[in-house]
Amino acid sequence: METGAYSISVPGFHYNIKDEKDINAEGYDCVVYTSAEPPNSESHPDAIKSTLIRASKLDDALFTEGGLLEVNLTAGRLVYSPTGPLTEYDDVRSYGEAVKRGILRAIKAGSKAPLLILPQSSAFAYTQLVCVLGALEALYLCIQFREDCPDKNPKIKSLGVWGYKGSNADSFFKYAVALENGRCVCRDIGGGDPERMAPPKVAEYVKKAFPANSGISIKVEQELSFLEKEYPLYAAVNRCASVVERHNGRVVYLSYDPGNATETLLLVGKGVTYDTGGADIKVGGCMAGMSRDKCGAAAVAGFIKVVSELKPANLKVIGALSMVRNSVGSNCYVADEVIVSRSKKRVRINNTDAEGRMIMADVLCYMKELAQNLPNPHLMTVATLTGHACLAAGDGYSIVMDNAVAREQKFSSKLQEAGQKIGNPFEISYLRREDFKLHKGQTPGDDLRQSNDVPSVRSPRGHQHPGAFLIMASGLDEFDLNSSKPMKYSHLDIAASSGSLPKEATGAPVLAFASYYLPVPV
């Protein structure tokens, strides 16, 4: 590959990006530019300044609507895609969204080799990185479309980027490409339909996404006898689907070990490939879109893809993709069952549609056991867990909540700050005493009740109390601030940020994790 060229490369999806040094370089058929400055501003690059000034005299809406303009460059045409006026309540996403619109407009105009001009802005620390990521997001093509219509894959031949002003272009572009490769893995798994990304298919995809030279070790647990013995809560959810081989569950472990890590991240992702609700079946059209209930597991795989490319020396990462289909039928688990978890807690089932916490709790318990012998461990669950999160946070926002140990170290606030900088925002919630009280057993002999019996959207504190259940069911409550070995734990509900059909899966919160754990070159 030539100097300054980089490659987006995940299974079945490849195209090149070039750090272009000449705005008038050969080989491009459209220039794409965004800015938060009015089109008649003197701050725009000299090569396109006169074009924007002339156009602004003809079009009063240019600053809010943008336009396709003729420009005196080799590319011949310019897509101007401004942010519009920004207020103190806007954030860096305005730049990324504007670039995405611009690239899509260029493609619609017939461009196969666009050149992105990066804006110069001191308003946000990561403006140029977010602009590149906005362009790459526009170029993503979902896995089934790629496979079914190879003549449409990829959308373009190549992407040029001009105007990077940082100190290390190579590090900058390698970082951006690593993030996009991670988001592509996340979107592929999260956005695949219930058959294309059924549990066995996810395991197959992961093996292709992490080849032998990736530095990631893979372990797939699939034997029913093993799953029933080691992860009984998970196995209950898997029981109905297990009789259909193509739907049978998988717990996929991905591990990265640099050898001398000073901290360890242990991630458990919810991977419900389709959620019918089980015996408490979803009705009234609420089942549509439930193939996206695996985006937590997808995010875990996506972040580990980033780690595999950037190879941090200080961080050990173990990820678990808890893949299952919550099917309905004569073999499905039902309310009123009592199941003894891996941590030996007797759990009374109240609602089979609260399956996400079930498939993560035992795996989290296993991760807790591993963590006791690892440096500075932090356990997390990542899940499209509740509709309540969508009501509480709103579209596009992830929610993070800490146990007392992580809260003492202000992890949620730090993750929120990291996500804000890179355009992957978080809201912070808190676990309270009421959340733990709700899950205490109410029948003699029961240690825990899995949930209440109403949907989360009608339940007070509907997105918080599942975090308490996960702590209690996994035995993490024995590793609190007052224990001999306090253990950090955070629960992330990404139901509102992962992307709902018919929109593409977003890849959240891969960018926020990268911004927090992996130094960002700017």
Side-chain angles (χ1 to χ4, degrees):
M1 189 177 293
E2 62 181 299
T3 302
Y6 307 86
S7 181
I8 297 298
S9 183
V10 296
F13 191 45
H14 308 275
Y15 65 90
N16 292 329
I17 304 166
K18 186 177 181 184
D19 173 22
E20 189 59 67
K21 303 303 183 184
D22 183 1
I23 196 173
N24 203 31
E26 298 284 341
Y28 298 102
D29 56 16
C30 187
V31 172
V32 177
Y33 176 61
T34 190
S35 174
E37 298 297 324
N40 60 0
S41 169
E42 291 294 321
S43 65
H44 304 303
D46 291 339
I48 61 173
K49 188 184 300 181
S50 60
T51 299
L52 292 176
I53 290 174
R54 285 196 306 271
S56 69
K57 294 176 180 178
L58 299 173
D59 185 356
D60 288 343
L62 190 65
F63 189 30
T64 55
E65 302 298 322
L68 177 62
L69 311 171
E70 187 175 6
V71 66
N72 188 26
L73 290 171
T74 303
R77 51 187 170 177
L78 164 69
V79 170
Y80 173 55
S81 181
T83 65
L86 300 182
T87 74
E88 60 266 34
Y89 296 103
D90 286 293
D91 57 61
V92 72
R93 287 177 296 171
S94 297
Y95 280 92
E97 291 161 356
V99 169
K100 180 179 179 180
R101 289 194 301 270
I103 294 291
L104 291 173
R105 180 66 182 89
I107 292 171
K108 198 170 184 178
S111 175
K112 291 296 183 182
L115 175 66
L116 173 64
I117 299 177
L118 293 178
Q120 306 304 313
S121 171
S122 59
F124 307 106
Y126 300 163
T127 301
Q128 292 200 325
L129 176 61
V130 171
C131 284
V132 173
L133 292 170
L136 300 180
E137 183 176 351
L139 298 177
Y140 174 73
L141 197 63
C142 70
I143 187 168
Q144 287 170 267
F145 193 23
R146 301 197 308 256
E147 293 171 343
D148 294 344
C149 304
D151 59 313
K152 305 290 186 182
N153 177 29
K155 292 181 180 180
I156 62 167
K157 294 178 180 178
S158 63
L159 172 71
V161 180
W162 178 88
Y164 172 69
K165 298 299 183 183
S167 59
N168 191 327
D170 188 57
S171 293
F172 174 85
F173 282 98
K174 284 181 178 176
Y175 190 89
V177 165
L179 263 56
E180 182 58 17
N181 282 336
R183 283 201 300 183
C184 286
V185 166
C186 180
R187 293 190 195 111
D188 281 356
I189 296 173
D193 81 14
E195 293 295 328
R196 176 60 187 86
M197 284 297 172
K201 292 287 188 179
V202 171
E204 291 174 11
Y205 175 89
V206 163
K207 291 175 182 177
K208 293 178 181 177
F210 298 97
N213 63 354
S214 67
I216 304 299
S217 61
I218 303 172
K219 184 179 182 182
V220 180
E221 303 289 6
Q222 65 185 74
E223 293 297 327
L224 281 178
S225 58
F226 178 88
L227 297 173
E228 290 166 356
K229 178 176 181 287
E230 300 296 328
Y231 312 126
L233 298 179
Y234 167 96
V237 180
N238 185 50
R239 194 164 73 201
C240 188
S242 67
V243 300
V244 180
E245 181 50 41
R246 72 180 192 278
H247 295 161
N248 193 12
R250 301 287 190 273
V251 179
V252 182
Y253 287 97
L254 303 172
S255 301
Y256 167 79
D257 189 353
N260 295 293
T262 56
E263 60 180 316
T264 310
L265 180 60
L266 302 103
L267 300 166
V268 180
K270 176 187 175 184
V272 177
T273 60
Y274 199 72
D275 182 16
T276 67
D280 288 292
I281 197 164
K282 294 179 183 290
V283 296
C286 294
M287 208 183 295
M290 284 298 104
S291 61
R292 294 289 175 85
D293 214 9
K294 57 188 179 310
C295 285
V300 172
F303 177 62
I304 294 178
K305 180 65 175 177
V306 179
V307 168
S308 75
E309 298 200 6
L310 298 180
K311 294 181 169 52
N314 66 311
L315 182 67
K316 178 182 175 74
V317 185
I318 303 173
L321 319 184
S322 195
M323 309 304 306
V324 72
R325 178 177 169 122
N326 189 20
S327 293
V328 60
S330 58
N331 205 38
C332 66
Y333 83 124
V334 296
D336 299 345
E337 287 189 41
V338 177
I339 303 168
V340 180
S341 70
R342 182 185 179 93
S343 67
K344 307 306 179 187
K345 303 288 178 63
R346 292 173 56 82
V347 179
R348 174 81 62 175
I349 306 304
N350 272 60
N351 188 337
T352 63
D353 199 19
E355 83 297 333
R357 66 200 73 179
M358 296 279 287
I359 68 168
M360 292 191 292
D362 287 329
V363 181
L364 180 63
C365 180
Y366 171 70
M367 292 289 215
K368 172 204 70 181
E369 295 161 10
L370 289 181
Q372 295 175 55
N373 298 308
L374 296 172
N376 189 19
H378 192 154
L379 296 101
M380 293 189 204
T381 43
V382 188
T384 51
L385 207 66
T386 66
H388 192 274
C390 302
L391 295 179
D395 186 45
Y397 294 87
S398 301
I399 295 176
V400 56
M401 60 198 86
D402 294 335
N403 74 347
V405 186
R407 188 190 303 181
E408 188 177 62
Q409 298 186 23
K410 297 181 170 55
F411 171 75
S412 285
S413 297
K414 295 173 184 176
L415 181 64
Q416 183 185 54
E417 181 180 358
Q420 185 76 7
K421 286 181 178 179
I422 205 166
N424 205 178
F426 273 87
E427 299 292 335
I428 298 174
S429 288
Y430 294 90
L431 292 170
R432 306 288 189 183
R433 59 185 182 180
E434 292 85 358
D435 302 321
F436 293 88
K437 183 178 180 180
L438 183 143
H439 288 289
K440 288 183 177 178
Q442 298 181 327
T443 303
D446 294 352
D447 297 308
L448 301 173
R449 66 169 180 160
Q450 165 233 28
S451 70
N452 53 14
D453 54 7
V454 296
S456 70
V457 292
R458 301 209 323 265
S459 179
R461 303 187 61 79
H463 73 268
Q464 289 102 327
H465 65 72
F469 173 84
L470 285 162
I471 290 173
M472 298 164 79
S474 66
L476 270 171
D477 49 354
E478 299 171 13
F479 293 83
D480 61 13
L481 275 174
N482 299 316
S483 70
S484 59
K485 189 164 185 173
M487 202 170 287
K488 291 177 289 185
Y489 166 69
S490 302
H491 172 57
L492 282 64
D493 195 327
I494 62 168
S497 63
S498 57
S500 299
L501 283 168
K503 297 178 182 177
E504 292 280 11
T506 65
V510 171
L511 299 185
F513 276 169
S515 177
Y516 181 84
Y517 285 103
L518 307 169
V520 180
V522 293

